[in-house]
Amino acid sequence: MPRFTPDTAIKTVSAATDELLCEAAGLRWLAAAEETGGIRIAHVIEAARDRLVEERIKTGAPTRAAARRIGAALARMHAAGAPWWGCPPPDTPRGARGIGRALTPWAERGAAKSWGAFFAEYRIAYYVRILRDEGTFGPRETALFDRVCARLAAGDFDAPQPALVRDAGTCCARLHGDLWAGNVLYLADTDARTGGALIDPMAYGGHAETDLAMLQLFGYPYLDDVLAGYDEVSPLADGWRERVGLHQLAPLLLHCVLFGGGYVPETLDTARQYR
């Protein structure tokens, strides 16, 4: 847990790794989109392998108006784009293996030719191998995800990015990567342009629907207004609601890896919708 001062949030680790530097790289990459209307990001003040100091966001009560501004600002952040599926932020330390405690992998340039191929290999199959090897998944569960991955790789679920991402001429959106309710903060300034601010990213290049699906997984105040604000400025592709569960498979599988079997039934039920 971070330690707080009136103006900063300070994270430290006892054993230095690249994790805090990766987080700082993600914060800076997302913050670069602020100049084109992207959502406010907690700014990095100091970053080292054992210590990260960032701006402390002053939070306030949720409102519907702020939620709509959050949605619109998220859309503009996504539209800042990324150069390839699974790319890391540009300031990521050379040799860093992946994002966060589970070392969620990035992809080398050109390794995945489509969103479905990327999502199948780097988000579904990666976690399934971990869960199989530790004995959480047996042959039946593994076969289920093999079928889902085959459909993903075949392009069965590929869909256009939201309009602003397409208009920017990029195939990939600039994702926060861990967009659950605790990382999307309503601002104390109720008139703030972006309505909210983001913390704690696991940033990479992917499909914008993945971020929005994560926000829907555990609930969020005025969620419908966030989605409406997003869709108003950057219309989502037809059928996006039917793909929400598919995009949620990645965070569900990660929760199985990090927190155990309590998430397994929901994860399997979701996967069966796309086999």
Side-chain angles (χ1 to χ4, degrees), residues 26 43 64 71 94 123 140 166 213 231 253 265:
H43 292 172
R64 294 188 66 182
R94 185 180 299 274
R123 291 298 179 269
R140 182 177 300 178
R166 299 198 309 271
D231 194 54
L253 284 163

Side-chain angles (χ1 to χ4, degrees), residues 102 104 123-132 250 253-254 257:
T104 301
R123 291 298 179 269
I124 305 300
Y126 171 76
Y127 294 134
V128 169
R129 285 192 293 269
I130 295 173
L131 292 163
R132 179 201 62 200
L253 284 163
L254 175 55
V257 170

Side-chain angles (χ1 to χ4, degrees), residues 36-259:
T36 54
I39 192 166
R40 182 176 168 189
I41 307 297
H43 292 172
V44 175
I45 298 169
E46 174 191 337
R49 296 187 80 229
D50 59 352
R51 174 180 163 94
L52 173 61
V53 183
E54 59 192 74
E55 169 193 16
R56 182 176 182 179
I57 300 297
K58 295 176 173 59
T59 59
T63 68
R64 294 188 66 182
R68 293 185 76 91
R69 292 198 292 272
I70 287 171
L74 283 173
R76 296 184 179 106
M77 180 191 79
H78 287 159
W84 72 86
W85 300 111
C87 74
D91 293 336
T92 298
R94 185 180 299 274
R97 294 175 54 205
I99 319 168
R101 283 184 289 162
L103 293 178
T104 301
W106 294 294
E108 296 291 333
R109 182 186 289 270
K113 303 299 184 183
S114 67
W115 172 76
F118 162 73
F119 204 69
E121 176 58 26
Y122 291 89
R123 291 298 179 269
I124 305 300
Y126 171 76
Y127 294 134
V128 169
R129 285 192 293 269
I130 295 173
L131 292 163
R132 179 201 62 200
D133 292 347
E134 71 183 20
T136 301
F137 284 173
R140 182 177 300 178
E141 292 82 9
T142 302
L144 168 63
F145 284 101
D146 285 347
R147 291 194 294 274
V148 174
C149 286
R151 293 194 66 192
L152 278 163
D156 290 1
F157 303 111
D158 283 351
Q161 295 274 10
L164 284 182
V165 181
R166 299 198 309 271
D167 292 348
T170 179
C171 68
C172 302
R174 187 172 303 189
L175 301 192
H176 177 278
D178 191 19
L179 203 72
W180 72 286
N183 289 340
V184 189
L185 308 180
Y186 280 93
L187 293 172
D189 179 1
T190 57
D191 296 322
R193 176 184 58 81
T194 69
L198 305 187
I199 61 173
D200 296 352
M202 294 172 58
Y204 67 95
H207 201 294
E209 290 182 12
T210 304
D211 261 358
L212 296 181
M214 180 68 183
L215 192 59
Q216 295 171 76
L217 184 56
F218 302 119
Y220 187 71
Y222 298 114
L223 175 60
D224 288 345
D225 291 283
V226 173
L227 297 173
Y230 190 107
D231 194 54
E232 182 177 350
V233 303
S234 187
L236 292 151
D238 290 346
W240 70 269
R241 293 184 186 276
E242 287 69 42
R243 292 185 293 273
V244 168
L246 181 68
H247 287 270
Q248 288 175 343
L249 280 176
L252 284 170
L253 284 163
L254 175 55
H255 277 67
C256 291
V257 170
L258 292 179
F259 305 118

